Amino acid sequence: MAMDTALKSRLHARCLDVVEERIATLRQREKEVQTAANSETKSSAGDKYETGRAMMQLDRERLAGQMEEAAKLKKALDQVALGEVSKEVVFGRLVITSGPGYFIAASLGEVALDENKYFVISASAPIAGQLMGKQVGETIQLAGRSLSINEIH
């Protein structure tokens, strides 16, 4: 079981890296927008100036929303109990199926680790709803095909 925990821990760390990279990118973009706002000078064409300010405000609002979403992802990842073991699929588990692997933690999408790809999904995702409560050996139906649960970490 130590190897199982190691895989989940490494995937969890990779997910945190993805979120931290996203946050760093958003912070850089915020700085760029602020720099652009600071350098914006009022021209004789007042409408152009006001349009530019409005666009920058929209950028700031969009970035704030993205930053809030990234913070939610990080919070969800922080709630994953890495050392806990269970026989059934619950929040924070890595589920290895006969198809792809699913890490039920946060809505990050596909995350690569080593040579493998895992779908990192939130507990509210439809596929997570199908997996929750299932145990090794049980199957679910996804897009017309059966996926059997091979491992739960």
Side-chain angles (χ1 to χ4, degrees), residues 130-141:
Q130 289 188 53
L131 289 167
M132 294 290 209
K134 299 280 194 255
Q135 297 183 5
V136 171
E138 292 188 74
T139 61
I140 62 165
Q141 295 296 314

Side-chain angles (χ1 to χ4, degrees), residues 3-143:
M3 187 173 151
D4 300 343
T5 306
L7 172 61
K8 183 172 142 185
S9 293
R10 289 184 325 109
L11 181 58
H12 181 260
R14 178 69 188 116
C15 290
L16 284 172
D17 288 345
V18 167
V19 171
E20 291 297 334
E21 289 167 13
R22 192 174 293 178
I23 290 170
T25 300
L26 290 170
R27 284 191 179 133
Q28 181 60 38
R29 181 69 183 121
E30 282 177 332
K31 286 179 186 175
E32 291 167 4
V33 168
Q34 188 59 47
T35 300
N38 292 343
S39 67
E40 183 77 13
T41 58
K42 192 165 188 169
S43 67
S44 57
D47 287 348
K48 181 180 175 190
Y49 172 75
E50 292 303 322
T51 300
R53 287 180 51 92
M55 293 296 285
M56 283 184 239
Q57 182 59 34
L58 288 173
D59 273 352
R60 280 197 278 268
E61 290 171 7
R62 182 181 48 78
L63 287 167
Q66 290 174 344
M67 190 65 93
E68 185 178 320
E69 185 59 33
K72 286 179 187 176
L73 293 173
K74 184 166 181 346
K75 183 177 180 182
L77 288 167
D78 288 343
Q79 293 174 350
V80 171
L82 293 175
E84 287 184 15
V85 182
S86 67
K87 290 185 177 193
E88 65 181 36
V89 179
V90 295
F91 172 81
R93 296 299 172 259
L94 172 58
V95 183
I96 306 300
T97 72
S98 55
Y102 296 94
F103 185 31
I104 303 173
S107 183
L108 282 179
E110 191 175 285
V111 174
L113 180 68
D114 302 328
E115 317 262 305
N116 299 310
K117 293 180 182 175
Y118 300 90
F119 290 101
V120 182
I121 58 175
S122 75
S124 62
I127 184 74
Q130 289 188 53
L131 289 167
M132 294 290 209
K134 299 280 194 255
Q135 297 183 5
V136 171
E138 292 188 74
T139 61
I140 62 165
Q141 295 296 314
L142 181 64

